[in-house]
Amino acid sequence: MKTSFSLFLLPVIIGLSSCSSNKKNAEWVISTENEQWMMQEPIVPTSFQEGTTVDATINLQSSQQIIDGFGACFNELGWTSLSLLSKADRETIMKELFQPGNGANFTICRMPIGANDFSRDWYSYNENDKDFAMEAFSVKNDEQTLIPFIKEAQQYYPKLKIWASPWCPPSWMKYNKHYASAYNDNHPVEKFRNGLPADKQGREGTDMFVQDPAYLQEYTLYFSKFIDAYKEYGINIFAVMPQNEFNSAQVFPSCCWTSASLANFIGKYLGPTMESKGVELMFGTMERANEALVDTILLDPAAGKYVKGVGFQWAGKGSIPGIHKRYPDLKLYQTEQECGDGQNNWKSALYSWNLMKHYLNSGASAYMYWNISLEEGGVSRWGWAQNSLVVVNPETKAYRFTPEYYIMKHASCYIKPGAKKLTIEGEYTNLVAFQNPDGKIVVVMVNEEPGENSFNLNIAGQVYSAKLPEGGIATLVI
């Protein structure tokens, strides 16, 4: 038995009637496990009839957050994988990702400050112990990877917004004097071991960064020099977050902080400096379902005045709804999509859809995927297999876009910066809806029910009828 879903959208313009002169065909596209991005014949609407069942109401007169955009993270292994391809193939991919009107339309992306788990190896911009003047500071490493990666994206979208966060400070700024925070020298594969002694591990709820004013001041200078260095390459960093996953002691570059110490760092050091440079400061990234950790920062008199927003990822998805409810005007970002297992299958794609839906329904203004590109298998420098938007075969020098890419594209291709998220009411909830600045309505929906299902969308007195296969995702633009 097929299920019928009817979505009722209130008029964009008061007094809009259901007469034939107001009929607008709906553009729509479908992706399934077996075939992605299938453009369909435009849907010709029929007049709405009394008695039609309404399973979801999309209220164009009740909007929510404004969307900043969609994107991903520039990682070193993303560039090294793309560099295996021909110049023509790499250009095709970058156009698809960043050229407006061409594909994914990415407009906002993240990058690391120094090494992260998908770097070629550990590094920072200054490993000279106690170089408090930062005389040895250098981004020369990035000239081989991150800088050309970003510059190529800028060729297709010069207005690309980029924000940055460290996974780890220079190792000499940590109490354990090591880039890692968790022991893994019992790893069965020697090349994935990090060399951290077991008695030097960090743990959640402690500070691994040296909480000395001289170190905090010089770490602020480190941020400042990073921003200035990248500006010399024509790359403007519009915002920073002080620490990736500040609760997590990881086997790869990482550094635990307490939220109280981050409040001190932001309020006395990083916040004033970033404000003077015209760079936004956001708190994050938040990877725990513990709203009190965010409250510690936002309610701190010194730190709170500098925080322009908060970023959430992984288990942080459990804290974003409550934070949005208590701070409805605060900008919230989803900062890193959960990474999968390197299989890049449709099951992961549907999981990604539900993550995206959760964050957008919880007030997120930006949604960012994690790895743009990886070699087949997606294994990091520290042995973790993950998914990506593009997979490169290092032997054949061929590439493919993954199912999760199409999940992203179904939203990012059509939902423009400045779009307003729209309120939805009713029993059918497996969808999100937006109104772009030009007035167009974008509805992204998924059928996770058994079998093919019919969807009837009532928009301003016009009914748009479409069928969506089991496990399929569709975008309609009206």
Side-chain angles (χ1 to χ4, degrees):
M1 180 177 180
K2 307 305 180 188
T3 304
S4 176
F5 299 99
S6 302
L7 288 78
F8 180 73
L9 282 73
L10 298 181
V12 181
I13 303 172
I14 295 175
L16 186 63
S17 70
S18 59
C19 64
S20 60
S21 61
N22 287 321
K23 286 185 177 180
K24 296 180 180 179
N25 293 350
E27 303 173 14
W28 66 303
V29 59
I30 291 176
S31 292
T32 66
E33 180 175 6
N34 296 321
E35 190 172 359
Q36 289 81 50
W37 212 253
M38 300 178 287
M39 299 301 300
Q40 307 296 301
E41 289 294 323
I43 299 175
V44 180
T46 59
S47 296
F48 177 76
Q49 301 296 320
E50 289 294 332
T52 300
T53 301
V54 175
D55 298 294
T57 298
I58 301 173
N59 189 343
L60 275 69
Q61 296 173 341
S62 177
S63 61
Q64 300 169 16
Q65 74 268 24
I66 302 297
I67 298 301
D68 285 0
F70 296 82
C73 186
F74 292 105
N75 289 328
E76 284 202 298
L77 295 189
W79 183 248
T80 58
S81 60
L82 291 175
S83 297
L84 298 174
L85 302 173
S86 68
K87 181 180 179 181
D89 281 348
R90 189 169 65 247
E91 289 177 347
T92 297
I93 292 169
M94 297 300 280
K95 283 182 181 179
E96 173 71 14
L97 294 172
F98 294 102
Q99 188 175 66
N102 189 64
N105 285 321
F106 284 169
T107 58
I108 181 170
C109 286
R110 179 186 189 182
M111 69 165 294
I113 301 176
N116 66 5
D117 44 323
F118 276 80
S119 296
R120 295 174 294 177
D121 205 345
W122 156 248
Y123 73 98
S124 78
Y125 300 131
N126 186 357
E127 280 301 304
N128 281 24
D129 190 14
K130 296 183 180 179
D131 180 9
F132 292 116
M134 286 290 151
E135 294 179 352
F137 184 96
S138 173
V139 297
K140 190 172 182 60
N141 174 87
D142 295 4
E143 292 177 354
Q144 302 175 36
T145 53
L146 297 178
I147 290 171
F149 200 177
I150 296 169
K151 295 298 290 182
E152 189 151 338
Q154 286 180 322
Q155 289 184 38
Y156 302 105
Y157 189 60
K159 296 188 294 182
L160 181 66
K161 297 180 67 175
I162 299 170
W163 64 274
S165 68
W167 268 244
C168 184
S171 60
W172 55 273
M173 293 185 177
K174 292 175 65 178
Y175 286 119
N176 71 354
K177 307 304 177 186
H178 197 281
Y179 71 82
S181 300
Y183 170 83
N184 79 332
D185 271 14
N186 57 355
H187 196 289
V189 181
E190 184 176 359
K191 68 179 181 179
F192 296 143
R193 300 171 188 169
N194 61 24
L196 178 68
D199 63 351
K200 297 294 184 180
Q201 293 193 100
R203 67 182 188 277
E204 183 170 352
T206 66
D207 288 308
M208 297 191 72
F209 190 94
V210 178
Q211 296 299 307
D212 180 290
Y215 284 77
L216 294 168
Q217 184 61 53
E218 292 316 305
Y219 198 30
T220 302
L221 180 60
Y222 183 83
F223 274 80
S224 184
K225 281 184 167 288
F226 160 75
I227 291 164
D228 292 343
Y230 263 72
K231 187 173 290 186
E232 291 181 5
Y233 290 93
I235 300 171
N236 292 319
I237 307 300
F238 85 91
V240 297
M241 297 190 191
Q243 174 63 47
N244 178 73
E245 298 187 347
F246 66 94
N247 299 285
S248 299
Q250 306 279 19
V251 302
F252 46 79
S254 53
C255 184
C256 293
W257 291 70
T258 63
S259 55
S261 291
L262 281 172
N264 177 61
F265 179 48
I266 292 169
K268 294 182 180 178
Y269 303 94
L270 191 61
T273 298
M274 293 300 100
E275 184 175 72
S276 71
K277 299 181 78 67
V279 176
E280 294 181 17
L281 190 149
M282 298 182 71
F283 176 61
T285 59
M286 179 69 188
E287 85 290 26
R288 292 286 183 265
N290 184 348
E291 298 170 22
L293 297 175
V294 181
D295 288 332
T296 299
I297 306 299
L298 298 180
L299 299 178
D300 183 273
K305 64 183 178 181
Y306 294 113
V307 176
K308 307 304 181 185
V310 181
F312 302 84
Q313 59 194 53
W314 288 84
K317 63 179 178 282
S319 58
I320 187 173
I323 294 298
H324 181 52
K325 184 177 181 179
R326 293 205 306 285
Y327 306 92
D329 298 325
L330 183 67
K331 186 181 292 293
L332 307 176
Y333 281 179
Q334 180 273 3
T335 45
E336 178 185 314
Q337 184 178 288
E338 295 173 30
C339 60
D341 56 7
Q343 298 299 309
N344 293 293
N345 54 30
W346 196 250
K347 180 180 179 181
S348 294
L350 291 178
Y351 182 78
S352 297
W353 154 254
N354 281 287
L355 283 174
M356 184 189 300
K357 181 178 63 175
H358 169 78
Y359 278 103
L360 293 173
N361 284 338
S362 300
S365 294
Y367 190 90
M368 277 151 280
Y369 194 79
W370 176 220
N371 280 295
I372 291 175
S373 176
L374 292 173
E375 292 185 27
E376 200 78 49
V379 179
S380 78
R381 158 65 179 81
W382 287 271
W384 190 357
Q386 300 187 7
N387 293 348
S388 55
L389 299 176
V390 177
V391 169
V392 174
N393 187 315
E395 296 180 358
T396 64
K397 305 299 189 291
Y399 72 92
R400 70 181 187 275
F401 289 100
T402 66
E404 285 178 271
Y405 169 70
Y406 292 99
I407 295 294
M408 288 289 294
K409 185 177 179 181
H410 268 278
S412 65
C413 181
Y414 297 107
I415 302 167
K416 309 300 183 185
K420 298 182 295 184
K421 186 175 181 297
L422 301 173
T423 300
I424 301 175
E425 300 172 355
E427 294 182 0
Y428 175 57
T429 60
N430 209 358
L431 75 169
V432 291
F434 300 82
Q435 187 173 21
N436 281 330
D438 63 3
K440 288 185 177 180
I441 301 161
V442 179
V443 181
V444 187
M445 62 182 72
V446 167
N447 175 25
E448 292 184 278
E449 301 298 323
E452 182 181 74
N453 285 290
S454 297
F455 297 83
N456 297 319
L457 288 73
N458 189 320
I459 303 171
Q462 301 298 315
V463 178
Y464 295 81
S465 297
K467 292 182 179 180
L468 189 56
E470 179 179 341
I473 180 172
T475 303
L476 287 86
V477 183
I478 303 159

